[in-house]
């Protein structure tokens, strides 16, 4: 049982470190990208990784929802033009 917990937390940490630059997709809806952070910015990366470590399944679902909304919005914009 412990190996599953460790794998869950390890996968969540990796997910958090990999998605830091795309964290705008994991909010309550897609929003404009904020100005990029210069450098490593350790405190923000650490906080994002800690959040994703425990909540990565929810973050995956919200990310998929945001991608779905953005693809619908893009399809509508293509239809209009």
């Amino acid at each position: 049982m412990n190996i599953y917990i460790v794998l869950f937390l390890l996968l969540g940490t990796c997910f958090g470190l990999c998605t830091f630059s795309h964290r705008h997709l994991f909010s309550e809806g897609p929003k404009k990208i904020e100005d990029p952070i210069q450098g490593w910015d350790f405190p923000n990366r650490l906080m994002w990784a800690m959040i994703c470590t425990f909540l990565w399944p929810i973050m995956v679902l919200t990310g998929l929802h945001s991608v779905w909304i953005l693809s619908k919005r893009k399809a509508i914009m293509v239809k209009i033009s």
Side-chain angles (χ1 to χ4, degrees):
M1 183 58 114
N2 288 338
I3 190 70
Y4 296 118
I5 295 170
V6 170
L7 287 175
F8 180 87
L9 297 175
L10 185 64
L11 183 63
T13 302
C14 292
F15 176 80
L17 293 174
C18 292
T19 59
F20 177 74
S21 60
H22 302 288
R23 64 189 184 277
H24 61 279
L25 294 175
F26 301 98
S27 63
E28 294 176 354
K31 60 181 181 179
K32 290 187 178 185
I33 299 173
E34 298 172 4
D35 292 333
I37 297 171
Q38 301 297 328
W40 177 248
D41 195 32
F42 183 73
N44 285 338
R45 284 185 189 267
L46 180 64
M47 181 59 112
W48 181 253
M50 287 182 355
I51 291 170
C52 288
T53 296
F54 298 103
L55 300 176
W56 69 267
I58 296 169
M59 301 302 263
V60 168
L61 292 176
T62 58
L64 290 173
H65 183 257
S66 293
V67 168
W68 178 60
I69 289 172
L70 290 174
S71 66
K72 280 182 23 180
R73 188 181 299 168
K74 188 175 183 180
I76 290 172
M77 293 305 288
V78 168
K79 249 185 214 181
I80 291 174
S81 45

